[in-house]
Amino acid sequence: MKRLILLMRRMLLALIVFSSMGAYAQGELTGKVTGDNNEVLPGVSITVKGTSKGTTTNAEGIFKIEAAAGTKLVFSFIGFETQEVTTDNATTLNVKMISGTKALEELVVVGYGQVKKSDLTASVSSVKGAAIKEFPVTSLDQALQGRVSGVQISQSSAAPGGGLSVRVRGPNSILSGSEPLYVVDGLPIYPDNNAVGTGGNRQPSNALAMLNPNDIESIEVLKDASGTAIYGSRGANGVVMITTKRGKEGGGRLTYDGSYSFQNMAKKIDMLRADDYMRYINKLEVSQGGAGRYSADQISAAGAGTNWVDAVTRPGSIQSHQLTFSGGNQTMKYAFSANVLDNQGIIINTDFKRYGFRFNLDNDFLGGKATLSNSWSYSRLISNNVPTDRGGPGGIMITALGLDPTVAIYNDNGGYNYPSYDGRFSINPVAEAKEGYDRDATNRLFGTTAVTFKIFDGLKFKTSIGADVVSAGRTSFFNSFTRLGRQNARELDKFNRNVTNLLNENLLFYHKELTPNHIIDATAGYTFQHEINQYASASTFGLPSDDVNSMNLQNGSKIQTPYSGRQEWNLQSVIGRLNYSAYDKYLLTVTVRRDGSSKFGPNNKYAMFPSAALGWKIANEKFFTDSRLSNIFDDMKLRASYGVTGNSNIPPYQSVSGLVPYNYVFGGQLSAGYGANNIANPDLKWESTRMLNIGLNTRLLKNRLDLSIDWYNTKTSDLLLYVSIAQSTGFGTVLLNSGTLTNKGMDFEANYKAIDGERLKWDIGGNISYVRNNLTDLGKSTPYFASSPSGHLGIDGSWVQAGNPIGVWRGYEYAGLFTSDSEAATFSAKAGYPKYTDVNGDGKYTSDDYKIIGNPNPKFTWGLNSSLKYQGFDLGIFFRGVQGNQVRNLQQSEIGDGVQKINQLSNILTDSYSTENPNGNRPVIDGRRDFISFRKSSFFIQDGSFVRLQNVSLGYNIPLTSNFIRSARVSVSGQNLFVITKYKGFDPEVNNSGQSNLNRGDDYDAYPRARTVTVGVNLGF
């Protein structure tokens, strides 16, 4: 990486020198561009007509360009009329641009096209690249957090490059994938972290980590059926349209973006010191009938002891560097970028590096009758990892929290000490982090090449090919200093994955103004997509050396059974859409897509996904313009849509019966054979989601206040569920379409220009949304517990039953503590033991007493941002929050149970019940107490609501007189500066089960979230 950064710096220096030589050799015309209200206009494109020579205005609206007398300059800017100005002999030129109708006709990217915002009938939210750039983020998912109503983003891991999970208007499935479809410059990508990941003792990395947020021009989130039905069987969970930056007319422009971030652990959990831990152990052993292990002298001499969490954490950092070169003329436009990201995590030996290149090129040929467009990107991702964010034993954070603080990290000989973890295993988390080797490397090439032909006026044909090629590998090695290395006499694991996804699209676009009052836009086409996903893994034990670089699989004495697989699927589709506008008042959008997928049964491989939407521009009606309403509202549009979308996000081959190897004993001999792995279901089909959406867009206060509100009601039917069948079939379950669920809610967005002066501008934006999810019917399936997120804890997964939201927890309702032995005797308990609600009144605690005890789904989510600009300064503040959700703190159910011989929360001694402390609010410290039932209770269900100061950013655009530096901006910002919450864990925004819908809101062994301070610089040449 150092070599790449050095190369980029040399390129930058060479271009600066080259630019300065050219600048000093020629004269220049300088000037300033302003708008109607004398406000400065940064980013105005200025070109010499008929040439590729050009420039743009800086943050102060200033420009410099070579121009002899009589030269025609073309000034263009979004929302303003393009102007041509002829120069004279003056050396300065000031231009005032006139706003035009385009200011109200911003183009919004939708599936397979663009629509004027004023003609939009779908529910679409947009985030522009300028807003993303204001606040540093490492992935595009983070750029959406809190900025778009109806979109909830949870982080499954705060590790560098860690995965995120996105829900648009709630979960629409139980077992199928519920992430939205992402379309990057026309290439559909489903972000299944597992499908492109490499496994391991942790959550998979972010499948979209290859995208550099600095390359993004805009993000549009399509939320209703009118917007998503064009993607048919993949549109049920919403669609995120990503448009990357392309070249524009004008001379070549070089931009450097760089930043460096300082990170530290945002919150720590207080654990017992060594002396208090000794007191705890003494209490525990006395409760078990023994004598205290530690004497008073030992306790007084112990002091604080070892802080294992401090030992495995460190200050982290992020550095980012990007060079972008863009420009073009009337026939060719280009944009090239190269970027490096290096994130050193706050846990030792964790990091994430991204090296990326993007190439966008548009060429007109055949006299402007055809355009060749290329959008390609390559990224290389490298990460070093440690075991975190999972449910098994030996995780770095859970062992660091729970390990014996009386034991030093190193022994007297400089080697590692290995304290016991409740007698189950011995471990040293520092050794796990430092000595373990877990490295991922992923290469990814993706993009599209398209040719668009103008057949005649209004009719275009576009054909394109796209590809997404992934090559990923993981090597993990556990030497003799790690837990698994000691257990298996060293262990080496290898995993490789290769994914090839190919796309072909052929589209016709027709635009016709039938009369001045009747306009149609039509789209029709055929698409075909094919994917092959191949993977293989192998492991070996009993290796002779601790040197990972010298070890290979064949070096082990105990080679494990290798595993490999291949999954392949096809999707072919026919699409059609018609947009009709009448009298600039009445809008109609009709969409249909017919998909055929190889994933489903032969009887249901094809399905139709239609939608229809109506729009009414009320503000253009005469009754509106003639009424007092026009004095209040500047614009008003009513929208309504209804449609059907699908969900095909399941692994291939679920509808067929496959063969797997089995061993049988015949005649006393072990024989190999094959048998079916499941029952075939030729009727297996898509999950279908029907959505009704009604929305209103309005502007008022002289277009300073922009409001949008949407109400929706969705119903998903034919849910894919496993249904129990007779064991005589040889199987316990079969996958069927069975069950329905609903999501109902509202989205609200507002943007207000509080001050819109020439020197001072203040914009305020906010959004709030709520969704109510309900599993209305399980069909032929019966209520069940989802798989446990942590088997060794002895707890259940979420409860799946009709009448409840997805993801709720079921268990004992905690009802305080027994205050006397006589009261507790009925339940075979003692004073100070936990008391639960005896639902059936039978005097004992069984599963019949379980009830719903928690819900991870929020009541509402919101975001609020403020952008203040004064001359060259800009200040941005961004808050976001989640209210009404709950988190199951499984981490504290282990380090706060008062039963195990591991370190406990610092308040365990002061808050636990005892004869000396009968008012204690935690159960008595007693090694004989049933802690499994305690873990299954509502005691550990905590309020996950929070208000987070997500970002504060202060920037300054430096006034320049340089002949070769076009613009310069410096900034300092802080991310995750504080969180207001009642949650007692590291952070309330946690989700250890990744992208699963069933086990959300569980907190166990989570990688801690960081607080970040960033300094940045932007230079334009």
Side-chain angles (χ1 to χ4, degrees):
M1 188 189 76
K2 291 181 178 179
R3 290 182 179 178
L4 183 57
I5 293 174
L6 182 60
L7 177 60
M8 292 174 69
R9 287 174 176 170
R10 288 175 176 174
M11 290 171 58
L12 179 61
L13 179 61
L15 284 162
I16 291 173
V17 173
F18 178 79
S19 301
S20 64
M21 291 172 62
Y24 285 117
Q26 313 210 12
E28 290 180 329
L29 175 69
T30 62
K32 184 175 183 179
V33 181
T34 58
D36 290 339
N37 299 319
N38 294 318
E39 73 275 20
V40 297
L41 296 179
V44 175
S45 175
I46 304 143
T47 59
V48 176
K49 187 174 182 180
T51 74
S52 62
K53 188 188 301 182
T55 186
T56 57
T57 57
N58 64 15
E60 302 298 324
I62 304 297
F63 69 92
K64 297 179 181 180
I65 191 170
E66 299 173 25
T71 300
K72 286 189 176 181
L73 299 180
V74 180
F75 293 76
S76 60
F77 191 57
I78 294 175
F80 291 83
E81 299 287 354
T82 299
Q83 294 186 36
E84 290 188 10
V85 179
T86 303
T87 63
D88 52 23
N89 291 321
T91 58
T92 60
L93 175 65
N94 295 325
V95 176
K96 176 176 285 191
M97 300 193 71
I98 301 171
S99 58
T101 56
K102 289 184 180 179
L104 305 179
E105 296 182 352
E106 174 189 346
L107 291 178
V108 176
V109 177
V110 295
Y112 304 102
Q114 294 180 319
V115 177
K116 290 189 298 184
K117 188 174 182 179
S118 60
D119 289 345
L120 193 62
T121 57
S123 177
V124 180
S125 294
S126 299
V127 178
K128 299 304 180 185
I132 298 171
K133 208 168 183 179
E134 285 181 6
F135 304 127
V137 292
T138 58
S139 71
L140 72 93
D141 315 65
Q142 296 171 353
L144 292 174
Q145 282 185 311
R147 291 187 172 275
V148 177
S149 64
V151 177
Q152 184 188 4
I153 300 176
S154 58
Q155 195 155 4
S156 54
S157 174
L164 291 98
S165 182
V166 180
R167 293 293 177 269
V168 177
R169 293 183 167 181
N172 282 307
S173 181
I174 295 177
L175 298 181
S176 300
S178 288
E179 303 297 312
L181 179 70
Y182 290 77
V183 182
V184 184
D185 289 334
L187 180 69
I189 297 175
Y190 184 74
D192 186 341
N193 294 340
N194 289 300
V196 295
T198 55
N201 250 352
R202 51 187 164 76
Q203 285 293 327
S205 298
N206 188 351
L208 297 173
M210 80 290 184
L211 288 170
N212 177 19
N214 285 335
D215 284 334
I216 295 175
E217 181 72 26
S218 68
I219 301 174
E220 272 82 22
V221 182
L222 315 183
K223 296 184 287 187
D224 71 340
S226 177
T228 63
I230 196 74
Y231 289 101
S233 62
R234 295 179 292 180
N237 303 316
V239 179
V240 180
M241 309 294 299
I242 299 168
T243 304
T244 60
K245 295 175 181 176
R246 311 195 74 82
K248 299 175 182 178
E249 285 190 41
R253 293 182 290 272
L254 177 69
T255 302
Y256 167 76
D257 291 283
S259 65
Y260 190 90
S261 302
F262 305 85
Q263 293 187 304
N264 57 60
M265 196 167 166
K267 179 184 177 182
K268 294 187 177 182
I269 296 175
D270 294 329
M271 305 298 293
L272 293 173
R273 292 161 37 103
D275 47 8
D276 284 335
Y277 174 78
M278 291 177 170
R279 295 184 181 96
Y280 166 76
I281 292 297
N282 281 354
K283 279 180 172 286
L284 208 58
E285 294 188 343
V286 168
S287 73
Q288 295 173 313
R293 183 187 308 180
Y294 300 104
S295 67
D297 290 341
Q298 288 176 310
I299 293 174
S300 62
T306 301
N307 188 318
W308 290 99
V309 172
D310 285 351
V312 299
T313 56
R314 65 182 181 185
S317 66
I318 305 175
Q319 59 173 310
S320 175
H321 305 276
Q322 173 159 327
L323 282 175
T324 304
F325 187 61
S326 64
N329 53 36
Q330 292 180 342
T331 60
M332 182 189 73
K333 301 175 185 65
Y334 57 88
F336 307 93
S337 69
N339 67 87
V340 177
L341 176 77
D342 185 352
N343 183 184
Q344 298 293 313
I346 59 174
I347 293 181
I348 56 178
N349 201 28
T350 61
D351 60 54
F352 172 78
K353 298 180 178 67
R354 178 180 65 215
Y355 308 92
F357 300 91
R358 172 160 285 279
F359 158 69
N360 286 350
L361 180 64
D362 301 302
N363 286 92
D364 291 342
F365 60 100
L366 298 180
K369 295 293 186 181
T371 302
L372 174 66
S373 299
N374 289 281
S375 300
W376 289 92
S377 177
Y378 167 79
S379 63
R380 178 169 173 79
L381 313 177
I382 301 173
S383 63
N384 288 295
N385 313 279
V386 297
T388 56
D389 302 295
R390 81 266 203 297
I396 291 292
M397 288 312 300
I398 190 63
T399 53
L401 288 166
L403 209 57
D404 187 343
T406 67
V407 180
I409 300 171
Y410 302 100
N411 58 34
D412 294 338
N413 298 321
Y416 294 106
N417 282 319
Y418 294 97
S420 171
Y421 194 86
D422 193 41
R424 286 183 280 150
F425 52 87
S426 297
I427 193 169
N428 186 318
V430 176
E432 295 294 310
K434 286 186 174 181
E435 303 292 341
Y437 181 92
D438 188 355
R439 181 183 175 92
D440 275 351
T442 301
N443 296 289
R444 192 164 187 174
L445 174 69
F446 66 96
T448 58
T449 293
V451 181
T452 303
F453 297 94
K454 298 178 183 178
I455 300 175
F456 54 77
D457 186 30
L459 181 64
K460 296 180 181 180
F461 172 71
K462 178 181 178 181
T463 182
S464 66
I465 57 171
D468 184 11
V469 181
V470 180
S471 176
R474 171 177 173 259
T475 298
S476 60
F477 179 65
F478 302 95
N479 66 22
S480 60
F481 300 105
T482 63
R483 181 179 69 90
L484 289 178
R486 300 194 317 277
Q487 175 181 305
N488 298 322
R490 303 183 184 91
E491 177 181 336
L492 175 65
D493 305 311
K494 297 275 190 179
F495 185 97
N496 290 286
R497 183 186 297 275
N498 292 285
V499 183
T500 301
N501 188 303
L502 301 176
L503 172 74
N504 172 238
E505 294 182 338
N506 302 278
L507 304 167
L508 279 170
F509 304 97
Y510 182 63
H511 173 84
K512 180 68 173 177
E513 188 173 313
L514 303 176
T515 70
N517 294 319
H518 298 275
I519 301 172
I520 62 170
D521 278 285
T523 302
Y526 170 82
T527 77
F528 180 81
Q529 195 163 4
H530 172 74
E531 180 177 288
I532 300 176
N533 190 324
Q534 302 176 88
Y535 47 89
S537 65
S539 300
T540 188
F541 302 161
L543 291 150
S545 171
D546 284 330
D547 181 11
V548 61
N549 295 316
S550 64
M551 290 296 96
N552 294 298
L553 291 169
Q554 65 270 22
N555 299 135
S557 60
K558 298 179 181 178
I559 297 176
Q560 306 300 296
T561 302
Y563 178 79
S564 65
R566 169 191 172 105
Q567 293 183 338
E568 186 172 359
W569 57 264
N570 296 319
L571 179 70
Q572 61 176 347
S573 312
V574 177
I575 65 172
R577 178 174 60 211
L578 175 67
N579 291 325
Y580 170 64
S581 172
Y583 299 97
D584 199 25
K585 299 177 185 178
Y586 313 113
L587 307 171
L588 170 67
T589 301
V590 178
T591 303
V592 65
R593 177 166 179 144
R594 180 171 173 80
D595 277 340
S597 173
S598 62
K599 293 182 179 180
F600 294 96
N603 298 337
N604 284 300
K605 285 194 178 297
Y606 289 87
M608 194 83 73
F609 301 96
S611 77
L614 296 172
W616 181 23
K617 296 183 179 181
I618 304 173
N620 290 354
E621 293 285 0
K622 190 175 186 302
F623 75 82
F624 186 94
T625 56
D626 291 343
S627 70
R628 292 182 179 179
L629 289 173
S630 61
N631 297 326
I632 302 172
F633 297 96
D634 303 296
D635 189 32
M636 183 179 291
K637 180 176 65 176
L638 184 66
R639 298 175 282 105
S641 67
Y642 181 81
V644 182
T645 53
N647 190 343
S648 61
N649 298 314
I650 63 170
Y653 318 126
Q654 300 299 298
S655 64
V656 298
S657 180
L659 294 176
V660 293
Y662 284 97
N663 292 325
Y664 298 88
V665 177
F666 290 103
Q669 298 293 322
L670 186 65
S671 302
Y674 285 86
N677 63 351
N678 63 279
I679 294 180
N681 179 5
D683 296 320
L684 197 70
K685 61 182 179 181
W686 341 69
E687 297 178 339
S688 297
T689 298
R690 290 167 170 79
M691 176 182 286
L692 171 66
N693 188 98
I694 299 174
L696 178 70
N697 298 92
T698 185
R699 288 195 303 272
L700 57 160
L701 302 179
K702 296 183 179 180
N703 290 313
R704 291 169 62 186
L705 179 59
D706 194 330
L707 301 176
S708 174
I709 185 169
D710 283 85
W711 172 87
Y712 59 89
N713 186 346
T714 68
K715 180 180 179 180
T716 301
S717 56
D718 297 320
L719 291 174
L720 290 169
L721 292 170
Y722 286 99
V723 176
S724 298
I725 56 176
Q727 294 289 333
S728 58
T729 63
F731 301 94
T733 60
V734 61
L735 185 63
L736 298 176
N737 294 99
S738 177
T740 59
L741 64 82
T742 62
N743 286 290
K744 301 176 182 179
M746 293 188 72
D747 299 338
F748 177 78
E749 294 182 357
N751 292 285
Y752 178 53
K753 291 184 177 295
I755 300 175
D756 193 21
E758 179 181 354
R759 305 175 68 186
L760 179 63
K761 295 180 182 295
W762 185 20
D763 294 334
I764 303 171
N767 66 83
I768 187 169
S769 59
Y770 81 85
V771 59
R772 298 293 179 264
N773 171 262
N774 185 34
L775 180 58
T776 55
D777 184 19
L778 280 180
K780 297 179 181 179
S781 186
T782 56
Y784 65 95
F785 281 107
S787 59
S788 172
S790 180
H792 83 279
L793 289 178
I795 49 94
D796 300 308
S798 68
W799 179 244
V800 182
Q801 183 182 28
N804 296 306
I806 295 176
V808 297
W809 299 296
R810 186 169 181 259
Y812 294 115
E813 181 181 59
Y814 180 75
L817 302 173
F818 289 111
T819 56
S820 67
D821 288 342
S822 58
E823 179 192 14
T826 303
F827 296 91
S828 302
K830 294 184 176 182
Y833 278 31
K835 180 167 57 176
Y836 313 113
T837 300
D838 184 13
V839 174
N840 61 4
D842 63 356
K844 54 185 177 181
Y845 296 136
T846 67
S847 59
D848 292 335
D849 297 312
Y850 285 176
K851 60 190 303 185
I852 302 302
I853 58 174
N855 183 358
N857 300 293
K859 292 182 179 178
F860 63 92
T861 61
W862 58 273
L864 179 65
N865 64 81
S866 168
S867 177
L868 185 67
K869 297 180 180 180
Y870 177 70
Q871 294 187 333
F873 291 93
D874 56 85
L875 174 66
I877 302 175
F878 179 31
F879 286 91
R880 64 182 182 89
V882 174
Q883 308 301 131
N885 67 305
Q886 293 172 304
V887 178
R888 186 163 61 164
N889 197 334
L890 298 178
Q891 190 149 275
Q892 293 195 7
S893 77
E894 182 162 342
I895 59 175
D897 59 15
V899 177
Q900 297 183 94
K901 294 179 180 178
I902 59 175
N903 203 6
Q904 301 280 305
L905 298 171
S906 62
N907 63 351
I908 197 78
L909 294 175
T910 57
D911 291 359
S912 294
Y913 174 95
S914 66
T915 54
E916 298 82 13
N917 185 27
N919 296 320
N921 56 22
R922 301 186 71 92
V924 62
I925 296 172
D926 189 337
R928 298 165 299 176
R929 180 163 48 82
D930 174 16
F931 59 89
I932 298 297
S933 295
F934 187 39
R935 287 176 180 166
K936 291 182 177 181
S937 77
S938 60
F939 185 89
F940 296 104
I941 306 295
Q942 298 175 1
D943 186 356
S945 303
F946 68 85
V947 175
R948 188 188 304 277
L949 179 55
Q950 183 74 14
N951 203 299
V952 175
S953 176
L954 176 63
Y956 179 60
N957 295 289
I958 302 172
L960 297 173
T961 57
S962 169
N963 290 313
F964 57 92
I965 299 181
R966 174 170 45 90
S967 61
R969 181 178 186 270
V970 293
S971 64
V972 59
S973 62
Q975 296 83 46
N976 191 32
L977 295 182
F978 69 78
V979 180
I980 301 173
T981 183
K982 295 179 181 178
Y983 184 63
K984 300 175 182 178
F986 284 127
D987 194 277
E989 199 169 17
V990 67
N991 179 33
N992 284 117
S993 295
Q995 297 174 324
S996 168
N997 276 331
L998 290 177
N999 290 331
R1000 302 181 73 80
D1002 285 331
D1003 184 0
Y1004 186 78
D1005 193 34
Y1007 194 109
R1009 192 181 289 260
R1011 180 182 294 111
T1012 306
V1013 176
T1014 302
V1015 292
V1017 61
N1018 172 275
L1019 299 174
F1021 303 93

